[in-house]
Amino acid sequence: MNTVLVRNIVIIAVIAAVVAFLPGGGTGASVIITAISLAFLGSLAWVGTILYRQNRSWLYDLGESRRAGLYVAAGVLAVALTATHRMWSSSAGSVLWLLLVGASVYVIAAVVIAARRY
């Protein structure tokens, strides 16, 4: 058997054992899920830092207004994605979320396309 497959099966079995047999297993599962989520978010931040360092000169060549638009769109997208659960709890929030995400993606795409034309 492949060692990666065995490792993944063991990880799933350990998590299942924590939930099934320990008192407060639901809390243990929440802690494990939170730890995995934080590790994932940390890895996304690390990849973002590396991408920024590799493309720093390209970002500075954009000019002030396009770079500001790119940063604002990325910030709005991050806030909208963070508040997804709260915004989707109402119909007006759902429409606002769709508008914010759509506008942010449009601005980011427009800046990238305009920068590649030169």
Side-chain angles (χ1 to χ4, degrees):
M1 232 185 196
N2 192 355
T3 57
V4 175
L5 178 65
V6 172
R7 183 200 65 196
N8 291 342
I9 291 172
V10 168
I11 290 172
I12 292 171
V14 168
I15 293 172
V18 166
V19 172
F21 300 119
L22 290 180
T27 305
S30 296
V31 168
I32 291 171
I33 289 173
T34 302
I36 291 171
S37 298
L38 287 174
F40 178 72
L41 291 175
S43 66
L44 283 179
W46 178 65
V47 168
T49 302
I50 290 173
L51 286 174
Y52 173 76
R53 288 179 184 169
Q54 289 177 351
N55 298 309
R56 190 180 312 175
S57 63
W58 179 78
L59 287 170
Y60 287 127
D61 288 342
L62 286 176
E64 295 292 324
S65 62
R66 285 187 180 158
R67 192 169 66 235
L70 185 67
Y71 290 157
V72 168
V76 168
L77 185 63
V79 170
L81 290 176
T82 304
T84 299
H85 180 70
R86 290 182 185 172
M87 293 181 80
W88 278 89
S89 63
S90 69
S91 59
S94 300
V95 171
L96 181 63
W97 186 88
L98 288 170
L99 288 173
L100 289 173
V101 170
S104 297
V105 169
Y106 174 77
V107 169
I108 291 170
V111 168
V112 169
I113 290 170
R116 289 187 177 199
R117 285 189 185 156
Y118 293 110

